[in-house]
Amino acid sequence: MTKDKVFYQFPTNFLWGSSTSGPQSEGIEPGDGKGQNNWDYWYSIEPERFHNKIGPSQTSTFYKHYEKDIDLLVETGHTVFRTSIQWSRLIPTGTGEINQEAVSFYRSVFSLVRAKGIQLFVNLYHFDLPYCLQEKGGWENKEIVQAYEAYARTCFELFDDLVDRWITFNEPIVPVECGYLGNYHYPCKVDAKAAVAVAYHTQLASSLAVKACHEVNPHKKIAIVLNLTPAYPRSEQAEDIKAARIAELFQTKSFLDPSVLGEYPDELVELIDAYGLMPEVSDEELAIIKENRVDFLGVNYYQPLRVQAPTNSWKEGEPLTPEHFFAPYDMPGKKMNPHRGWEIYEKGIYDIAINIKENYYNIEWFVTENGMGVEGESAFKDNGLIQDDYRIEFIEDHLIELHRAIQEGANCKGYMLWTFIDCWSWLNAYKNRYGLVELDLDTQERIVKKSGKWFKKLSDAN
Ligand code: BGP
């Protein structure tokens, strides 16, 4: 704790830990039987899109070193850990045959985590789609909903005895935005109609997974993880406020409302309809969404979204993108993480908590990602240790806001940092380091950072 801060006690049984994902940590080992996913395929055709041309096979080798890494979870004070199953590892072609190597791997990992007294949250989908299904149209093709449901059910049947809580998707808006609007993730399309279909099919798949989870085990809790970044308008002018409202409709309420309230906001449906983007929707599907709401929420928060009224209005014939509804606002004087280029706004976490309390019946939730990415972090190494005081301060400052919200009745039950060990992160590969533990890419050596030692004390003292 820095010297001008006081001691904040979190509620009894509050969980402390971190999140990672299968595709960002496991890596590929000869004979592991993993199938190709959308990331493996994309890297094989366009390696130059990835930072330093480091691709998805070179992740932090968790597949090989999971025993050591689970020891590090203990050393850094974890009482909860979130990871994900890779669909392409468990069912290499997306549907059909199960890879028994994967079953043994995940059972060993999950058993070991639990044997160490750490609660285990397992996510089913973290941006990674078996390539065979991508070839058939991916999330644009409604048939994928059935394939995902079968995959989810297989996971529940195989691993339910070892998993404390399940998660259907991580940040489902990201593949929509990056893959179908922003040319930033494969399949790199800019197609608003496809984007809406992808979002709808993902929601339907998530709701069907909730249903399947409860069918397999009626007592098991399942969530969706959303990046509930609040949208703050540039000013109180009506056009800026409207821009912020639309930004929230697209980026948060598009999954938050159907997942927690069981229905889409009318304004979102009207907007989609007005632009001719409505996907095929049946009453039966809407009933599935209504009847299969999540039991709790995971919230990822890194930075706020600051928006202003759009500068260009959309003209017939142009690709329709979010910028036609809201433009990013670069607020002068904002506090920055200069090592990642993201704004730091701790109060965002408080605002999220109050929004959940007031508008989403105070559903139980966890922070499932929050953290500070730092480019060139080796510059902070002294005496063999990354002296990441900036990370400790970042976490502390967010926790103070979270604590304030909990005091006011927010139903948050735990905090998971992104992430326990420096890991591969999509196009950014290893550019931004987030870990409590440093990873040496050449030797794969793991060295606990100053923040890792501090996190243990934080967890012990609650
Ligand atoms: C989140 C993702 C994580 C991780 C993190 C950091 O949105 O859920 O998978 O990648 O962002 O991202 P980056 O490394 O780009 O800073």
Side-chain angles (χ1 to χ4, degrees), residues 74-228:
V74 176
E75 203 178 318
T76 50
H78 283 62
T79 53
V80 64
F81 177 55
R82 168 171 80 109
T83 187
S84 74
I85 292 173
Q86 292 200 72
W87 187 349
S88 59
R89 181 178 298 289
L90 189 67
I91 308 176
T93 51
T95 53
E97 208 178 321
I98 295 172
N99 169 17
Q100 292 307 326
E101 294 292 322
V103 177
S104 320
F105 167 67
Y106 287 121
R107 285 202 69 85
S108 306
V109 169
F110 298 169
S111 308
L112 193 54
V113 170
R114 299 256 306 214
K116 302 281 181 185
I118 298 171
Q119 283 205 34
L120 179 67
F121 287 28
V122 176
N123 171 29
L124 299 175
Y125 194 91
H126 202 121
F127 311 164
D128 55 318
L129 181 65
Y131 185 64
C132 289
L133 295 178
Q134 183 70 58
E135 271 184 314
K136 292 182 188 152
W139 287 99
E140 278 181 76
N141 178 351
K142 205 182 239 179
E143 281 174 21
I144 197 171
V145 173
Q146 242 183 330
Y148 172 88
E149 185 195 3
Y151 155 65
R153 193 177 288 276
T154 303
C155 292
F156 304 143
E157 284 166 355
L158 286 169
F159 308 116
D160 194 66
D161 58 322
L162 298 174
V163 172
D164 289 290
R165 296 189 186 224
W166 289 102
I167 291 161
T168 61
F169 286 85
N170 177 78
E171 299 187 356
I173 197 69
V174 169
V176 174
E177 277 189 296
C178 296
Y180 295 87
L181 293 166
N183 183 15
Y184 194 64
H185 283 185
Y186 196 77
C188 304
K189 290 192 178 178
V190 181
D191 180 344
K193 199 164 167 62
V196 172
V198 166
Y200 179 62
H201 297 157
T202 308
Q203 177 59 53
L204 189 56
S206 176
S207 302
L208 283 165
V210 171
K211 184 168 185 273
C213 173
H214 292 149
E215 281 166 5
V216 172
N217 180 351
H219 305 293
K220 195 50 69 76
K221 288 189 176 178
I222 183 161
I224 190 165
V225 165
L226 302 175
N227 41 331
L228 296 186

Side-chain angles (χ1 to χ4, degrees), residues 14-114:
F14 193 82
L15 297 176
W16 298 100
S18 71
S19 289
T20 188
S21 75
Q24 291 174 272
S25 62
E26 290 169 8
I28 296 173
E29 288 297 320
D32 67 4
K34 184 186 164 313
Q36 199 177 40
N37 68 23
N38 48 344
W39 293 94
D40 303 318
Y41 173 76
W42 191 22
Y43 181 74
S44 77
I45 57 166
E46 283 190 290
E48 64 285 351
R49 297 256 337 226
F50 296 74
H51 183 69
N52 288 343
K53 292 195 187 168
I54 298 182
S57 63
Q58 289 165 274
T59 62
S60 50
T61 57
F62 184 75
Y63 193 83
K64 203 158 142 190
H65 294 121
Y66 70 87
E67 290 178 352
K68 166 85 193 127
D69 284 351
I70 293 169
D71 284 344
L72 286 168
L73 296 181
V74 176
E75 203 178 318
T76 50
H78 283 62
T79 53
V80 64
F81 177 55
R82 168 171 80 109
T83 187
S84 74
I85 292 173
Q86 292 200 72
W87 187 349
S88 59
R89 181 178 298 289
L90 189 67
I91 308 176
T93 51
T95 53
E97 208 178 321
I98 295 172
N99 169 17
Q100 292 307 326
E101 294 292 322
V103 177
S104 320
F105 167 67
Y106 287 121
R107 285 202 69 85
S108 306
V109 169
F110 298 169
S111 308
L112 193 54
V113 170
R114 299 256 306 214

Side-chain angles (χ1 to χ4, degrees), residues 24 126 170-171 302 340 369 418 425-426 428 432 434:
Q24 291 174 272
H126 202 121
N170 177 78
E171 299 187 356
Y302 289 90
R340 173 67 180 83
E369 282 182 37
W418 186 266
S425 191
W426 321 112
N428 288 329
N432 309 307
Y434 281 87

